[in-house]
Amino acid sequence: MSATTYRRVAWAAVGLTFLVVVVGAWVRLTHAGLGCPDWPGCYGRISWPQAPHEIDAANAAFPERPVEVGKAWREMLHRYLAGGVLLAAYFLAAAAAWRRRRDPAQPLVLPFAIAVLVTVQALFGMWTVTLKLLPAVVTAHLIGGMATLALLCWLALGPGGRPGEPRRRRRWVWLGLILLIGQIVLGGWTSSNYAASVCPEFPACTAGVWWPPMDLAEAFRPWREIGVDYSGGVLDYPARVAIHLAHRVGALVLAVYLSLLAALLWRWGRRPAAVVLLGVLAIQLALGVANVVEQLPLSVATAHNGGAAALLLVLVVVVRRMTPSRARPASL
């Protein structure tokens, strides 16, 4: 396999992973995360129950969670796509090992790290179901998906940028990437605790009040009781408000910083990157506001998750292009 073909396969894996992230958000937003109460099958089947006798058998085997066909097929679609990412990651790792026999400079650590990460992601997918949407697990599953997307993009980009790029410039981009990751974590926590629609106004929260009573300690308690069904959320109103407003504040901080970063990229001569970054940021902010004032319409909320993934890809591309290739790419 040539280097060009290898990178094309890696880009295909990036596209598939992006689709998995978006479909995963769609599954979560349509409350289909427990559409199949077991794992990796669905009601003991490789597919979801469809025929009347299959549904009757599934209901008898899982009386605590009767079959909802619409939720079941959405959950299984997400699992099939995630399985495709797993196969792609294994293929990239195996191909890298094969190419290493002919080219000692072929990087191995990154492809194998991605394969391990996607395997761990599969386990988190299982725990998401078996632990009944435990918020910490759901959020970790989202973080793992975004990390997989970023690392596959880094791999697909190949060699880094031109030498001589000042290191201090890369630090600006890395800080933006870190802030974005923090905001993605907050977004995952908001979604997994069903706090996205608790403040129906913008810029105020509710009834013209900007800062209603909040319970920060309960809102950000990382681990909760195992065995509880967390579908729909279990937190009280003050805790959900705290999560929601933390996500809003994070969005404001990130928006200011990325706008500044776009101005710096323009000044550094990276004008296409600056325009793309500012454009994706503006769309993402508009989607966030629309989520609030329109009370979380499915298409807008799903697109908002996709926007976060798109911002991540933009920053990964920028920082990769600003990072000069090392003398030994195998160290990646």
Side-chain angles (χ1 to χ4, degrees), residues 72-314:
W73 76 258
R74 290 195 291 273
E75 170 64 9
M76 286 307 294
L77 172 63
H78 183 238
R79 293 186 191 182
Y80 294 151
L81 292 172
V85 174
L86 182 65
L87 293 176
Y90 287 168
F91 176 82
L92 288 168
W98 181 263
R99 293 184 65 224
R100 183 64 175 265
R101 299 172 62 182
R102 294 174 178 264
D103 180 11
Q106 170 65 34
L108 281 182
V109 174
L110 183 56
F112 275 83
I114 292 171
V116 171
L117 175 59
V118 177
T119 303
V120 174
Q121 267 294 90
L123 293 175
F124 271 102
M126 176 186 69
W127 294 328
T128 295
V129 175
T130 58
L131 296 180
K132 300 180 180 180
L133 304 182
L134 184 67
V137 173
V138 174
T139 304
H141 193 43
L142 171 67
I143 296 168
M146 292 292 191
T148 301
L149 181 66
L151 292 178
L152 280 169
C153 181
W154 190 280
L155 179 66
L157 287 167
R162 59 181 181 268
E165 189 84 47
R167 183 174 296 180
R168 66 179 180 277
R169 294 184 179 179
R170 294 201 301 275
R171 290 173 181 165
W172 281 94
V173 186
W174 274 112
L175 180 55
L177 190 57
I178 292 169
L179 290 175
L180 175 61
I181 291 170
Q183 181 65 359
I184 288 173
V185 173
L186 271 176
W189 193 247
T190 301
S191 179
S192 62
N193 283 284
Y194 299 86
S197 58
V198 73
C199 288
E201 297 178 10
F202 184 87
C205 174
T206 182
V209 178
W210 286 55
W211 303 101
M214 291 180 281
D215 187 348
L216 288 168
E218 185 65 17
F220 294 100
R221 184 154 62 92
W223 195 256
R224 298 187 179 277
E225 182 183 354
I226 292 176
V228 174
D229 187 345
Y230 288 93
S231 179
V234 299
L235 295 181
D236 57 16
Y237 179 76
R240 295 195 200 200
V241 167
I243 295 171
H244 183 102
L245 292 181
H247 187 52
R248 284 198 194 185
V249 172
L252 176 62
V253 172
L254 182 66
V256 170
Y257 185 86
L258 291 187
S259 298
L260 173 62
L261 179 59
L264 289 173
L265 289 170
W266 185 276
R267 181 179 177 184
W268 297 337
R270 296 183 175 272
R271 295 185 175 182
V275 171
V276 171
L277 176 59
L278 206 55
V280 176
L281 175 62
I283 293 171
Q284 182 68 347
L285 290 173
L287 290 170
V289 173
N291 270 332
V292 173
V293 298
E294 298 295 333
Q295 281 296 284
L296 214 66
L298 178 59
S299 59
V300 175
T302 304
H304 191 55
N305 282 264
L311 269 178
L312 179 66
L313 289 176
V314 171

Side-chain angles (χ1 to χ4, degrees), residues 6-20:
Y6 185 83
R7 289 176 62 187
R8 286 175 179 170
V9 174
W11 277 118
V14 171
L16 182 58
T17 305
F18 185 90
L19 180 61
V20 168

